[in-house]
Amino acid sequence: MASEHSEATAGGTSALALKILVAGGFGVGKTTLVGAVSEIRPLRTEEQLSELGQSVDDTAAVERKTTTTVAMDFGRITIRSGLSLYLFGTPGQDRFWFLWDELSQGSLGAVVLADTRRLEDCFPAVDYFEHRRIPFVVAVNCFTGARAYGANDVARALDLDRGTPVVLCDARDKDSGKEVLIRLVEYAGRMHTARLLDSVG
């Protein structure tokens, strides 16, 4: 069960804060999404890409990328009065995956960002959340010039469990990113409720 953090609001009512992960492959737009939707200045742990990293970081499809996340991104967004999301963007490269277990502790669910030009890059994130039964949605970041695919096509290509939502988005656009997060909260809420009912049934 995901942990929930409550805090008092100015009116004395209890506010709910939920932890959400933003995951996916290298250069897919995780830092961009967190930065676009966050209502606070996002915390970023980025370092410049170097020649030493060229052997492990495939920048072929993201030639203009000059930095990479080495720990996490952090942001916050208020979805509605009394409900805030704390966003934790995960690093995309294999060598930083040891951080994922720590970051995923207490999370309600995750957004897996996907790039249809490099769809295979999000397989590790999909596998990670499926094996740990953490609810997630796949958000296809619609890059300029990339071939357009429908949600059903992406779901089949990723062999997603039935019912796992796939949404199209623009990680640069705040409203688009917010819609993705709302879909995740709704889906994760249904999943957690169903599991709770199963456990007492």
Side-chain angles (χ1 to χ4, degrees), residues 74 77 99 131 159 167 179:
F74 174 78
I77 179 174
L99 295 168
H131 290 148
D159 192 26
V167 294
E179 283 301 314

Side-chain angles (χ1 to χ4, degrees), residues 4-18 76 78 80-86:
E4 299 173 351
H5 176 68
S6 296
E7 52 190 30
T9 63
T13 58
S14 180
L16 185 63
L18 302 172
R76 186 189 71 210
T78 301
R80 58 172 171 75
S81 178
L83 176 60
S84 297
L85 304 181
Y86 291 156

Side-chain angles (χ1 to χ4, degrees), residues 19-63:
K19 182 179 182 181
I20 302 294
L21 298 187
V22 179
F26 174 67
V28 78
K30 301 179 295 295
T31 298
T32 300
L33 177 64
V34 172
V37 302
S38 181
E39 63 199 16
I40 62 172
R41 183 177 179 179
L43 168 68
R44 294 177 173 153
T45 55
E46 291 196 310
E47 293 293 338
Q48 290 290 127
L49 289 171
S50 67
E51 290 184 12
L52 290 174
Q54 288 180 353
S55 61
V56 289
D57 295 331
D58 182 7
T59 59
V62 285
E63 296 91 350

Side-chain angles (χ1 to χ4, degrees), residues 23-184:
F26 174 67
V28 78
K30 301 179 295 295
T31 298
T32 300
L33 177 64
V34 172
V37 302
S38 181
E39 63 199 16
I40 62 172
R41 183 177 179 179
L43 168 68
R44 294 177 173 153
T45 55
E46 291 196 310
E47 293 293 338
Q48 290 290 127
L49 289 171
S50 67
E51 290 184 12
L52 290 174
Q54 288 180 353
S55 61
V56 289
D57 295 331
D58 182 7
T59 59
V62 285
E63 296 91 350
R64 290 185 292 178
K65 186 173 177 61
T66 59
T67 61
T68 185
T69 299
V70 295
M72 68 172 187
D73 298 311
F74 174 78
R76 186 189 71 210
I77 179 174
T78 301
I79 295 296
R80 58 172 171 75
S81 178
L83 176 60
S84 297
L85 304 181
Y86 291 156
L87 308 176
F88 292 80
T90 66
Q93 300 98 313
D94 300 12
R95 64 187 184 278
F96 295 123
W97 282 350
F98 68 92
L99 295 168
W100 285 36
D101 287 338
E102 190 72 28
L103 290 174
S104 66
Q105 289 294 319
S107 63
L108 175 76
V111 173
V112 176
L113 271 175
D115 178 352
T116 57
R117 300 169 300 179
R118 303 174 289 129
L119 204 55
E120 67 279 0
D121 288 0
C122 70
F123 273 114
V126 168
D127 289 342
Y128 182 91
F129 297 121
E130 282 185 345
H131 290 148
R132 287 160 181 78
R133 301 185 71 218
I134 297 173
F136 68 95
V137 302
V138 173
V140 179
N141 193 6
C142 299
F143 286 91
T144 303
R147 182 178 170 186
Y149 291 91
N152 290 335
D153 295 328
V154 173
R156 283 193 297 270
L158 293 176
D159 192 26
L160 297 176
D161 290 342
R162 185 175 180 181
T164 302
V166 177
V167 294
L168 307 181
C169 75
D170 182 342
R172 302 166 299 180
D173 183 79
K174 181 174 184 175
D175 290 337
S176 181
K178 186 174 179 178
E179 283 301 314
V180 170
L181 295 170
I182 290 171
R183 283 288 299 275
L184 171 62

